[in-house]
Every structure is written in structure tokens, then in C-alpha cells.
Amino acid sequence: MTIPTLNETHDPTLQSWVHSANEGDTDFPIQNLPFAQFRRQDSEEEFRGGVAIGDQILDLSRVASLSVFSDAAQIAATECAESTLNKFMAMGRETWSALRLAISRGLRLNSADEKKLADCLLPQRDAEYALPCHVGDYTDFFASLNHAEKTGSLFRPDNPLSPNYKWIPIAYHGRASSIVISDHPIHRPSGQMKVKGSSEPGFGISQKLDYEMELGIVMGAGNRLGEPIKIEEAEQHVFGVCLLNDWSARDIQAWESRPLGPFLGKSFITSISPWIVTLEALLPYRKPFQRSDGEPKPLDYLDSPTNQRQGAVDINLEVSLLTPSMQANQQAAEVISNSNFVDCYWTIAQMVTHHSVNGCNLRPGDLLGTGTQSGPQRQEGGCLLELSLAGREPIALSNGETRAFLQDGDTVVMRGWCDNGDGPRIGFGRLVGTCSTALTSQND
């Protein structure tokens, strides 16, 4: 697996003439430069590509019209002016890197292009976002061993893991049409579920709505049908990473999942954050991919020296909850769990490689969810199913409220960031969703 080396864009001493990018708590320093699709709020403008810098967005459509950049970077900026980033994502790692370098140089202190680029900025508070790309296909993995063991033990205490779990990156095919951007309303789904004390199921509105703290892997240049992606080449096909919340109706899911896995309990909605952080931006936060003693060694097609050396990524993950009562009393959202992607049992490269090993073709904009990311401790659970032990022990909030599952009006806020103390914080922004009542029910 070939991973690019650190370059001048990663220099931790770099500063930007956009002063908010130099503040220590920003998610978007000049070393980050993530991509999104945006337009001016409440306008009829076309959505176009932008890059986050501090509390601003660099409008790549305007940048392209000025011809500030040259060669590959100018071509890439022009593609980013389109209504989705798919064409840019298809251009490959060398082009992505060329545009990143040009933007980095243009936004640095004492850049000769400051005056021109200053006219291409829009405050993030004045923007609204669309999905960054057309998602043709969505696959959700089950890649956290901690999550698999803890949820499995809730329902199968004697045999929490399936025999194949430690050998194969398990996944199911999700629903691409119901992927939405952050802040989209989350309507409680209806469906068929088991009725306590009855031999027959019933139909109704889900009462066990849950979130899942995941990362989304956004594919760039794809592969041809029938041609697998080798693990040494897997990350060349990955454009970047975003936050992902695969909302789940646990009562619907529990009844329908056997024998083929999740369906309506998951397909009603999946949220992603607006900003895609490129793999290049994450380079300083790579870690060795290590498993505990006694764990099976991955099969050859899922293993490489580079994957062992730096296949993992050190990304802090945080979930906060804001209840209607908190909001009424002007309280801030309360952090209810923390975890880290470095604990994931399978790496990004392994997920991509396994997905394509049968010849499946991945295309620009395709989305791979990592599955719920959980740490080894109970308080590191990436969903309420874990934190509340399937509702048996509701979690206690500081204002006296409790939650087994989400209630109407609850807002879930997810954040992710890299911060190893040696460089700037590389953040993912926020992923927000507020739960509301079902739109319709078959029984209405």
C-alpha cells in the first residue's frame, strides 16, 4: 500500500492570512483544507465546491474564474465549480494533491494572491450545504470489534461474535437514496416489529430510535468491474473521510434482521457531515495497525507491511445530546460518549480491498460506512443500544433526565478531530440531527 509522504502542506508552523484559521480551537486550520458543496444561505445560487479555512469558505468557482492557479490545480478548481464533486473525485490523488498545494500556498501568510483570494471567501455562518457528491452506492461495514462484541453479548451472551467476524470485514448494502446532509430533520420511522407477549408482530412507529457514530469513507477514482483493488493501492482510490450517523430503529431492526441483515430499520435515513477531510490531511495522524496477542492474522490479500505500519488513523470521536429541556433552559449539549477510530478492527484499506476483491466496481462518490465506532469501555459506546444496555439501564444526564433511546426533539451532535499534540487540530466540523415524529403511518 503506497501512502504519500508528509509535504509542505503539513508544516505545523504554517499560518494563514485568514486569521480565524490560526486559532487553536478551529477545526479548519490551513493544514486541513476539507471540501464541501455550498451556496449562500437562502439564495437561488447553484451549489459549488468550497474549501474550509478557519470560519470561512474559499469559493472554488470564483477561484477558477480568476485563473489564479495553473496547470492541474486550475483544471481541478474548474471541476470543483460543478454542482457535485464527483468529477473532481474521479481525477485521482495527484490532482487532488496539486489543488491542495495550490490552495495552501494561496492562503498562507504573505501570499501574493491574498487580495484576489480574499474576494473568494464566504463566512461559514452565511452558507448552506448540499451533499458533497452524488452517492451512487452505499455500503455499511461492521468494523468495530468493541461494538460487535458489546452488542452481540446483549442478545447472544454465550456467542456474541459470528465465526467469520475476525477474518472478514463484514458489511451490508445500504440505501444511497436516503443519505442526507447534516441538519436534515430525522423523522421517526414506522414498520413491523415484535409485540411483547404475542406470537404475532405488529405495525407502528418505532419507539427505539438510535444513532450510530461512524465515519464515512468517500471513494475517489474507481476500479473497473472485474478488477479487484489490491491493498497496496487501496488508499489511492479514497478521496477522504467524513462523519456519518446511520440512524437506527432498533425495534424494527431486531425483528427483521434475521436471516439477511438490516433493512427498514436502517434505510429510512443516514446523515453525513458537509466537510470531507482528505486522506492527505490525515497523514500526520497515521498509526500502526495492531491487534492484540492471539488475534488471527489477516489473510494475505488483507495484509501488507505498510498497512501494519500506518494503516490506522487517530481520530477522536464524540457524541453529544441536546434534549428539549436542555434547550429550553439554555443548556449546552452534553457529551455522552467518546471513542477513537484507532481502535477499529479493520482499516480503511482493508475495507476497500475486501469490497472489491470479488471484482465489484467502486465509483467516485460511493460511500462506505465504517460501522459504529466504540471503544472498549461502556462509556465509549458509539450508540445508545450500547450505552443503555439495550434500554435495560438508561443513561443519566446531568439535568436529571434519562435516555434509553432517543425521544422526539432530541438533537444528536457528532464531532471528530485529530490532535496528537505535535501539530494543529484537524477537525471534521459537526454532524447534527434532530429527531421528530413520524411523517405518516400505515395505521393513519
Side-chain angles (χ1 to χ4, degrees):
M1 178 173 63
T2 57
I3 297 179
T5 57
L6 295 177
N7 56 52
E8 64 181 84
T9 67
H10 302 102
D11 182 351
T13 67
L14 286 181
Q15 297 277 288
S16 174
W17 50 262
V18 180
H19 299 298
S20 59
N22 306 323
E23 297 173 356
D25 60 349
T26 183
D27 273 356
F28 307 123
I30 195 171
Q31 293 84 357
N32 191 347
L33 305 178
F35 289 80
Q37 287 295 106
F38 79 101
R39 70 181 178 187
R40 197 176 303 271
Q41 202 170 55
D42 301 321
S43 75
E44 296 300 319
E45 297 173 351
E46 295 294 327
F47 283 98
R48 64 271 191 191
V51 165
I53 181 70
D55 60 5
Q56 304 289 309
I57 302 172
L58 182 67
D59 185 338
L60 294 177
S61 177
R62 295 193 65 182
V63 172
S65 70
L66 296 175
S67 297
V68 175
F69 303 148
S70 60
D71 302 327
Q74 176 63 26
I75 296 172
T78 301
E79 293 293 358
C80 288
E82 297 289 327
S83 58
T84 73
L85 291 173
N86 292 71
K87 288 184 179 179
F88 171 57
M89 292 174 175
M91 298 176 80
R93 190 167 68 187
E94 289 187 7
T95 302
W96 310 333
S97 187
L99 181 57
R100 172 182 166 85
L101 177 60
I103 293 172
S104 175
R105 288 175 173 174
L107 292 174
R108 293 176 198 176
L109 277 177
N110 303 316
S111 167
D113 295 321
E114 176 180 347
K115 187 173 181 180
K116 291 180 180 179
L117 294 181
D119 291 332
C120 301
L121 295 178
L122 177 72
Q124 291 180 27
R125 66 174 180 272
D126 296 336
E128 61 185 19
Y129 302 93
L131 290 175
C133 55
H134 170 71
V135 181
D137 278 296
Y138 165 47
T139 303
D140 198 29
F141 281 84
F142 191 41
S144 168
L145 176 64
N146 294 316
H147 173 65
E149 286 185 329
K150 286 190 282 185
T151 54
S153 65
L154 291 173
F155 306 107
R156 303 176 302 278
D158 296 332
N159 189 24
L161 290 181
S162 58
N164 61 354
Y165 186 87
K166 294 184 178 183
W167 294 98
I168 183 173
I170 294 173
Y172 71 94
H173 195 78
R175 183 72 187 175
S177 64
S178 54
I179 296 171
V180 299
I181 202 69
S182 178
D183 291 298
H184 192 286
I186 310 300
H187 294 287
R188 192 176 293 271
S190 298
Q192 190 179 131
M193 61 199 80
K194 187 175 182 179
V195 176
K196 188 175 181 179
S198 174
S199 61
E200 297 183 356
F203 182 92
I205 298 172
S206 173
Q207 301 303 307
K208 294 184 178 181
L209 184 60
D210 200 358
Y211 63 83
E212 290 189 345
M213 173 78 250
E214 303 191 25
L215 290 175
I217 302 163
V218 183
M219 298 304 300
N223 60 304
R224 294 185 195 176
L225 181 65
E227 295 184 3
I229 298 172
K230 296 180 180 179
I231 193 167
E232 294 86 357
E233 303 167 356
E235 292 196 4
Q236 298 179 35
H237 294 265
V238 176
F239 177 70
V241 179
C242 63
L243 302 177
L244 186 150
N245 186 345
D246 193 29
W247 302 88
S248 300
R250 299 301 187 186
D251 35 14
I252 297 173
Q253 181 185 359
W255 173 246
E256 72 182 3
S257 286
R258 295 187 182 184
L260 294 181
F263 183 32
L264 301 183
K266 298 275 194 174
S267 64
F268 61 99
I269 203 162
T270 299
S271 303
I272 63 172
S273 55
W275 296 105
I276 302 176
V277 177
T278 63
L279 284 192
E280 188 169 1
L282 296 174
L283 276 177
Y285 305 94
R286 304 304 294 253
K287 296 284 186 181
F289 169 61
Q290 298 176 330
R291 288 183 175 172
S292 303
D293 293 342
E295 294 292 306
K297 183 180 182 296
L299 297 183
D300 287 347
Y301 79 98
L302 291 172
D303 197 19
S304 76
T306 306
N307 191 62
Q308 295 172 21
R309 191 166 56 249
Q310 50 185 330
V313 193
D314 183 4
I315 304 174
N316 298 294
L317 303 171
E318 176 187 273
V319 180
S320 299
L321 183 65
L322 179 67
T323 70
S325 176
M326 291 176 181
Q327 195 165 18
N329 290 305
Q330 298 184 323
Q331 292 177 267
E334 182 173 333
V335 176
I336 58 175
S337 73
N338 288 280
S339 58
N340 195 298
F341 185 55
V342 79
D343 291 324
C344 197
Y345 197 74
W346 298 101
T347 67
I348 291 174
Q350 287 172 324
M351 285 183 258
V352 171
T353 298
H354 183 69
H355 199 309
S356 69
V357 73
N358 66 341
C360 174
N361 56 322
L362 299 172
R363 298 173 295 184
D366 282 358
L367 182 67
L368 312 183
T370 61
T372 306
Q373 293 301 299
S374 302
Q377 305 302 316
R378 178 176 170 184
Q379 66 271 20
E380 297 175 300
C383 59
L384 284 172
L385 182 72
E386 285 184 53
L387 295 175
S388 71
L389 301 183
R392 300 166 198 163
E393 297 182 16
I395 63 170
L397 303 174
S398 60
N399 66 351
E401 293 184 274
T402 61
R403 286 292 187 275
F405 294 99
L406 296 170
Q407 298 183 12
D408 289 348
D410 285 349
T411 297
V412 177
V413 182
M414 295 181 172
R415 303 202 71 152
W417 69 92
C418 304
D419 186 2
N420 59 12
D422 296 327
R425 171 190 174 107
I426 301 295
F428 291 73
R430 302 195 316 161
L431 174 54
V432 181
T434 300
C435 308
S436 60
T437 55
L439 286 174
T440 59
S441 170
Q442 186 174 322
N443 294 332
D444 289 348

